[in-house]
Amino acid sequence: MHSQADSRPGLHAAIIMDGNGRWATRRGLPRAAGHRRGVEAIRRTAEACPDLGIGTLTLYAFSSDNWQRPADEVGGLMRLLRAYLRNETARLARTGTRLSVIGRRDRLPEGIPEAIERAEAATEAGDRLHLRIAVDYSARDAIIAAAQRLQGADTSRDAFGRAVAGEMHGSPVNVDLLIRTGGEKRLSDFLLWEAAYAELHFTERMWPDFGETDLAAAVTEFARRDRRFGALAPAKVSAAA
Ligand code: FPP
């Protein structure tokens, strides 16, 4: 079973939102147009979660490696983030969505950390969905930071897992279902600790086209999987006895 108990109800789904650039390029549009359409896909996907039994959704919006992209693309993504926080907060609060941003904040452009804090405070009471957006996020860095923070104090799996997941955000430690859009099949330094027993779902769909039907298909496939967390299925346990 889970080595760390998660108290939050519902599944924890996480998505690597890939394919914005290719979606745009195939249409003769600038990559920024793909990222803009990606924001609409975030809204559609988040709003579909509660009815599909998803209580927490973690989205990979900007990895720590994404700083290496051209400055105008990075600037465009940061502008989108700023606009998202400004324009979506009221809607998030109305739909019972609590927003948290995970990842480093000290390298974000001026004003964004404060905008994040305002959006988190304004949506704090949301109890239908916990939407976590990963910005300047690296799973390896999160694991190193947890190790440094604990300094050997309590490095049991439970305590360490909570430190990695960032217990200050009341975040569940385990990811149940990890989805990657855009056809690639890799984890790209996303939630490496939390996804230890996640079911993986890869889809060719480009992120700007992703929506409720795709999410429902992933959840249906997830429900068919036989999750054993390294143990044997009950029938096999009695057969082995
Ligand atoms: C990957 O597509 C996507 C990203 C690096 C950014 C994801 C960002 C958004 C969906 C919008 C901004 C988010 C917020 C919260 C405002 P890619 O550009 O790597 O696509 P490609 O593999 O086709 O080039």
Side-chain angles (χ1 to χ4, degrees):
M1 282 288 117
H2 284 307
S3 57
Q4 303 103 349
D6 286 342
S7 53
R8 197 171 183 86
L11 292 177
H12 180 188
I15 308 183
I16 300 173
M17 309 181 286
D18 198 12
N20 293 351
R22 277 165 289 159
W23 181 94
T25 308
R26 284 173 193 172
R27 287 163 178 76
L29 299 168
R31 291 174 57 82
H35 295 317
R36 277 198 300 277
R37 288 292 282 265
V39 177
E40 292 169 30
I42 291 178
R43 189 186 301 129
R44 282 198 301 276
T45 304
E47 292 185 4
C49 282
D51 288 344
L52 292 170
I54 295 169
T56 305
L57 176 68
T58 306
L59 300 175
Y60 208 3
F62 190 88
S63 79
S64 296
D65 289 325
N66 287 150
W67 292 116
Q68 297 166 49
R69 292 196 178 196
D72 64 333
E73 180 161 345
V74 170
L77 284 166
M78 291 299 149
R79 275 194 298 281
L80 274 183
L81 175 61
R82 205 188 285 278
Y84 180 84
L85 295 166
R86 189 177 55 234
N87 302 333
E88 295 287 320
T89 299
R91 187 177 174 122
L92 292 172
R94 205 168 56 241
T95 55
T97 306
R98 173 184 168 202
L99 178 74
S100 298
V101 175
I102 62 168
R104 284 181 66 164
R105 297 191 184 178
D106 57 311
R107 298 189 289 197
L108 298 177
E110 210 186 326
I112 291 193
E114 294 76 11
I116 290 171
E117 280 169 28
R118 281 196 298 274
E120 287 179 335
T123 59
E124 210 169 29
D127 59 2
R128 293 193 80 228
L129 175 71
H130 188 184
L131 174 62
R132 306 192 318 151
I133 297 189
V135 179
D136 195 1
Y137 175 85
S138 152
R140 286 182 163 181
D141 286 353
I143 293 168
I144 292 167
Q148 287 169 340
R149 217 161 44 241
L150 292 180
Q151 293 278 4
D154 178 359
T155 48
S156 65
R157 271 195 184 187
D158 279 359
F160 195 79
R162 284 196 304 274
V164 172
E167 53 192 323
M168 72 293 286
H169 292 304
S171 301
V173 172
N174 295 293
V175 170
D176 297 300
L177 170 62
L178 177 63
I179 299 170
R180 182 175 187 133
T181 63
E184 311 281 359
K185 296 185 176 66
R186 55 176 170 263
L187 296 179
S188 300
D189 202 12
F190 188 45
L191 302 175
L192 298 181
W193 177 283
E194 295 91 327
Y197 283 101
E199 296 292 332
L200 307 180
H201 180 93
F202 299 103
T203 167
E204 295 294 318
R205 187 84 70 219
M206 298 293 141
W207 176 250
D209 289 331
F210 194 87
E212 183 173 2
T213 312
D214 303 291
L215 186 62
V219 170
T220 301
E221 189 196 310
F222 170 83
R224 279 202 295 265
R225 304 254 182 108
D226 177 19
R227 299 187 83 201
R228 296 188 300 276
F229 302 97
L232 292 181
K236 291 186 184 139
V237 172
S238 45

